[in-house]
Amino acid sequence: MSANLSALLYLVASVCFILALKGLSSPTSSRRGNLIGIGGMALAIAVTLLDPGVLSYEWILAGIVLGGGIGVVTALRIQMTAMPQFVAAFHSLVGTAAVLVAAAALYAPEAYGIGTVGAIKTASRIEMSLGIVIGAITFSGSVVAFTKLQGLVSGAPVVFPGQHLLNLVIGLAIIGFGAWFVAEEGREAFWLMTALALLVGVLIIIPIGGADMPVVISMLNSYSGWAAAGIGFTLENQLLIITGALVGASGAILSYIMCKGMNRSFISVILGGFGAEASAGPADAGERTVKQGSAEDAAFIMSNARKVIIVPGYGMAVAQAQHAMREMAGLLKKEGIEVKYAIHPVAGRMPGHMNVLLAEANVPYDEVFEFEEINSEFAGADVAFVIGANDVVNPIAKSDSSSPIYGMPILDAENAKTVLIVKRSLASGYAGIDNPLFYKAGTMMLFGDAKKMVEDIVKAL
């Protein structure tokens, strides 16, 4: 295949990726966007395999079969509740690829056309330095995020005195080793820079608490994109540069949107500085009591309402209650009751987690509203039905400056006339703090598995 034809087809693939991102911006066009993106990637792979520089296909095909097989099996088995850690694990693979490609270029630069051992082009050394640092940070940071999301380690923030100063010192050391590598192509500098970048990836994620993990996922998504772009520069592959830049930029924009939704500093997120303040432990409930109800009670209250706003959370995802919830909403609508769904930007464990679950249950798109659109309507709602959500409706975010979620905009479910909360127990949410909404006079707690509780409500309706 000629270089001109390859460039043209790479351009077509790039356009497909841009159209895919555009399609993913709306639930109604997301499926089409996914298909366009898949088509663009298939075209990109085919063009790459037909490149005259490819001399042997044995290892390439082995990698495609092995990696593709693992990907297909994993995708078929993965539960929607585990999707966040699944995404984090994939981000770590992109970081690993960036590190391995940079290392290969260091030891065999002739294969990449960037010079010879001891005489790599200066521009290539700069690109390798950036790629190795971003890739190593992405890898170790994604591994830490995976362990937190999977519950292998505590999701609570890990902080210690002098943490930010240590990060600064390590950051300066990385810059110093990077300058050494660019100036003299020292392999010692290369691997010291890599080791410190791996350490930084751990240090910028461990101070982040559970409530902020959705922002972590979008941030790591951005990092993985820039790591891929770094690989593209090393390989001198324009498509990889464009694709990495698209992922990096879109991930950064998503991170900004998430930060705005949580009232966090974007710069602080990039540097891993948020969530590092002293966090409050679970508040002592003292002698406070809750009003406990049954599925029949909930059915009676909602059947006599005019407007019901449903607030789904991670507990709904764990229980796989979205289909029963849609059935419940359908019965209410048949009785002329207005039903809407309120989605907080950080509900779940990754951006858009709740939207995907509701789409899976065929909830009409026009009934699903984002935080800014729906929050003012709670005051006019007869019932706020909170299913498996905790931190995103916790009033502490507006009143307790010592709380790890302080300043995060919340859904004002407390303003509804009656709040029904489906939860297994009074245990704290992912942020590790108590929720005073449980104890308010207008709140009724519905304890039990979310799916079974909603199914019982459906029967009562």
Side-chain angles (χ1 to χ4, degrees), residues 1 16 81 94 163 174 279 313 337 348 431 433 461:
M1 182 179 293
C16 287
T81 50
V94 179
Q163 194 166 25
I174 290 174
S279 62
I337 301 167
I433 53 177
L461 287 172

Side-chain angles (χ1 to χ4, degrees), residues 187-261:
R187 293 186 179 182
E188 299 86 354
F190 180 90
W191 290 114
L192 286 170
M193 179 170 53
T194 304
L196 290 177
L198 290 170
L199 179 59
V200 166
V202 174
L203 291 175
I204 65 174
I205 302 300
I206 58 172
I208 298 174
D212 297 321
M213 288 310 291
V215 188
V216 173
I217 297 298
S218 61
M219 179 183 69
L220 290 171
N221 179 58
S222 179
Y223 287 174
S224 69
W226 298 123
I231 299 174
F233 280 110
T234 303
L235 298 176
E236 296 185 349
N237 185 298
Q238 291 84 355
L239 181 64
L240 199 50
I241 295 171
I242 293 172
T243 305
L246 285 173
V247 175
S250 59
I253 293 171
L254 179 59
S255 296
Y256 175 78
I257 294 172
M258 299 292 288
C259 289
K260 185 178 179 182

Side-chain angles (χ1 to χ4, degrees), residues 258-270:
M258 299 292 288
C259 289
K260 185 178 179 182
M262 296 185 66
N263 195 29
R264 306 297 195 196
S265 165
F266 182 65
I267 299 299
S268 184
V269 169
I270 294 175

Side-chain angles (χ1 to χ4, degrees), residues 57-115:
Y57 288 94
E58 288 83 0
W59 286 105
I60 294 175
L61 292 176
I64 290 175
V65 171
L66 179 61
I70 293 173
V72 169
V73 172
T74 306
L76 291 174
R77 291 183 176 181
I78 198 73
Q79 296 294 323
M80 184 57 66
T81 50
M83 191 60 69
Q85 49 265 50
F86 184 56
V87 171
F90 271 6
H91 289 160
S92 73
L93 297 180
V94 179
T96 303
V99 173
L100 294 177
V101 168
L106 174 66
Y107 287 93
E110 299 90 349
Y112 295 87
I114 58 175

